[in-house]
Amino acid sequence: MARLNLLEETRFEKLPVTVYSDEYVASVKVAQRIAELIRYKQGRNEKAVLGLATGATPVKVYSELVRLHREEGLSFRNVITFNLDEYYPMQPTAVQSYVTFMNENLFDHIDINKNNVHIPDGTLPLERIHDYCLDYERKIESVGGLDLQLLGIGRTGHIGFNEPGSAPNSGTRLVTLDDLTRRDASRDFGGKENVPRKAITMGIGTIFKAREIILMAWSGKKAPIIKKAVEGEISGDVPATYLQLSDNVEFVLDQDAASELTRFDTPWLVKDCVWDDTQIKKAVIWLSETVKKPILKLTEEDYNNHGMAQLITEKGTAYEINIDIFNKLQSTITGWPGGKPNADDRRRPERAEPARKRVVIFSPHPDDDVISMGGTFIRLVDQGHDVHVAYQTSGNTAVWDDDVLRYMEFAIDFNQSIGQDTDHLENIYEDMRGFLENKQPNQLDTQEIRDVKGFIRKSEAIAGARYAGLDDDHIHFMALPFYETGKTVKKPVTDIDVELTIELLQKVKPHQVFAAGDFADPHGTHIVCFNIVLAALSRLRETEEWAKDCWLWMYRGAWHEFATHEIEMAVPLSPQEVERKRNAIFKHQSQKDYPVFPGDDAREFWVRAEERNRETAKNYDDLGLANYEAMEAFVKWRF
């Protein structure tokens, strides 16, 4: 019976999928399977031939293999490896090369014979690549073929660098990279313009010959493409769908990457559900959106025709369920994000008392506060709450180099205008100009340049917070140490980061904390900063009474938005408030027009914010609730 239930749950899935709680558990399991293969081959005095992938996905697999080598004696002397791909052109000593990646993450830490390591050569002259690729195929065949091929998946659906349009029988070859693939790689190269346009990759036909294929994917960012690869029709538009034709493939996912598969996203379509409040709310909103009716107009026929007959059987009539969910959604809407004084707050998102709350808004970068919750920020101040804003990082990596020269030129001119000697400033300026003229992609800036970039972000943040109505002593710059590397790759979080956060919280003793829960941030800063806030509050709750009564609200907007069923507080904005929010965002001039790290969304940050806020309001309107100009959305964290 259990097997039948599983088949029913996975009937939309066209290939085997294994889901683990998180990427750490999944990576350990994959590493153990690789280790078992290696040991099995060792016992037969045979070579284990591995196809290896690069990128963030397999890093923890390689880390576990290194641990198994160091602590459990796993030897790689019998292992031969072939890497999937390499950028072209690419020097093997470059930071971005896959030779560097594999050495740093695996090969330099194990006992593999380097003669058994094969990575496509990104230094070849163009006329030699065709023959080189044929030879790469012959080398794989000469050692008996790939025993196991590890894969990641790109957001275009590429496996290796087999971009949309790749043929299912393709071999190793030179390919042109998709624009989205290059955008995703831009942070490693200091800008998309520095990402190579081509790559050498094993073909889909080459991958198919492996006796075992494991495709891994972590995080919600991969969820949409995983759904297409697993449940979609086979298509050259999504090369990973070709894996549906293999009998030897398995997708290994964490819960976030699997979240859009039917059995997790809309489980009522494939099985009987446990209908708790959260599931009911999600399902009814989904049904309303699917049939394009307001919630109060949904009928029993709508429920029955869309896999939700069990719900009305267990929980009452469609009319009763509709009313209940409508009221719950209605109660999320409030014009009083700090709580409405002297009001019945049993159905309101925030408490009525105290009427004047102490509030800390944590902003990972110096503009996340106004981009993601600028309207609520301004409203909290307007309604008389004691609001503080804390900028957790300097954001100094996200400023264009020419802005540094512009600000230095201003400083020199200003000093001259008031009769100050500018020789020292001019010498620093010339050093900066010389450095920037010869700067390599992703090269670490000098300390002076990093300082100026930080000062630019700081002055903009002050202007934005002042516009929102704050006094200067309520504006805090934390410069958390984990961020201050000058590089895009940051240091690990330490106790110092948490202690600095505890110190600020102890000083303010807030009733409300707002923190960025926008974990789709491609740079990872948001989730790191959120975890620091969470760690600080968790510690304080052990000893401080005020902390036990401090509510933590998560906001989004810079990179993503909460789904409607997740929202617990929706703050409506009038057209005038939307304009005030826009003006606050405009204070961040270094991030306007085209920021250094725009992610995969080409819209300016203020446009993203406005359109997402309007979309949230429209979603509420389509469900049959009041029609507002825009809405900012929040979810409460439960300790």
Side-chain angles (χ1 to χ4, degrees), residues 64-170:
E64 176 64 11
L65 288 173
V66 170
R67 189 197 68 78
L68 289 170
H69 169 68
R70 289 176 172 171
E71 298 180 14
E72 299 184 22
L74 177 66
S75 175
F76 291 78
R77 298 299 296 176
N78 72 317
V79 174
I80 299 173
T81 67
F82 290 88
N83 262 75
L84 273 169
D85 43 31
E86 176 62 286
Y87 291 107
Y88 182 85
M90 178 59 64
Q91 292 297 318
T93 54
V95 173
Q96 300 89 352
S97 88
Y98 289 159
V99 174
T100 298
F101 175 94
M102 292 305 305
N103 287 337
E104 289 182 349
N105 287 283
L106 184 62
F107 296 146
D108 285 351
H109 311 289
I110 58 177
D111 62 343
I112 195 167
N113 182 342
K114 289 297 181 74
N115 292 325
N116 288 338
V117 169
H118 304 86
I119 301 175
D121 187 350
T123 68
L124 295 169
L126 199 59
E127 62 272 14
R128 287 186 53 199
I129 290 179
H130 177 74
D131 290 341
Y132 174 83
C133 291
L134 290 177
D135 187 56
Y136 203 75
E137 296 271 341
R138 284 193 287 266
K139 283 181 179 178
I140 295 173
E141 293 172 5
S142 70
V143 295
L146 299 170
D147 291 306
L148 186 149
Q149 175 66 62
L150 282 186
L151 297 174
I153 184 171
R155 290 188 301 141
T156 64
H158 70 232
I159 48 177
F161 275 132
N162 292 284
E163 299 283 16
S166 296
N169 62 349
S170 55

Side-chain angles (χ1 to χ4, degrees), residues 105-294:
N105 287 283
L106 184 62
F107 296 146
D108 285 351
H109 311 289
I110 58 177
D111 62 343
I112 195 167
N113 182 342
K114 289 297 181 74
N115 292 325
N116 288 338
V117 169
H118 304 86
I119 301 175
D121 187 350
T123 68
L124 295 169
L126 199 59
E127 62 272 14
R128 287 186 53 199
I129 290 179
H130 177 74
D131 290 341
Y132 174 83
C133 291
L134 290 177
D135 187 56
Y136 203 75
E137 296 271 341
R138 284 193 287 266
K139 283 181 179 178
I140 295 173
E141 293 172 5
S142 70
V143 295
L146 299 170
D147 291 306
L148 186 149
Q149 175 66 62
L150 282 186
L151 297 174
I153 184 171
R155 290 188 301 141
T156 64
H158 70 232
I159 48 177
F161 275 132
N162 292 284
E163 299 283 16
S166 296
N169 62 349
S170 55
T172 303
R173 67 205 187 283
L174 184 69
V175 297
T176 299
L177 298 179
D178 188 271
D179 186 69
L180 177 56
T181 299
R182 293 181 65 234
R183 291 207 306 270
D184 282 349
S186 64
R187 192 167 180 83
D188 294 332
F189 285 85
K192 190 184 81 170
E193 66 277 6
N194 300 315
V195 180
R197 295 181 178 275
K198 294 185 179 295
I200 299 172
T201 185
M202 282 189 202
I204 296 172
T206 315
I207 292 167
F208 257 66
K209 294 176 186 176
R211 284 179 278 280
E212 184 177 5
I213 302 168
I214 298 176
L215 185 148
M216 304 175 295
W218 328 130
S219 89
K221 287 183 284 188
K222 295 294 178 70
I225 197 64
I226 285 294
K227 182 176 177 65
K228 289 181 181 179
V230 173
E231 298 185 357
E233 296 299 320
I234 295 172
S235 167
D237 293 339
V238 183
T241 57
Y242 288 129
L243 294 174
Q244 295 175 18
L245 300 171
S246 173
D247 295 327
N248 308 312
V249 69
E250 179 183 358
F251 276 40
V252 175
L253 313 174
D254 69 358
Q255 289 181 342
D256 290 336
S259 62
E260 293 192 18
L261 295 178
T262 300
R263 60 170 151 147
F264 299 110
D265 189 33
T266 52
W268 49 88
L269 296 178
V270 294
K271 63 177 181 178
D272 286 346
C273 296
V274 177
W275 288 107
D276 59 20
D277 289 347
T278 300
Q279 191 83 293
I280 294 171
K281 183 179 179 184
K282 180 180 181 181
V284 172
I285 291 172
W286 171 86
L287 180 61
S288 174
E289 292 169 344
T290 300
V291 301
K292 295 180 169 44
K293 288 183 181 180

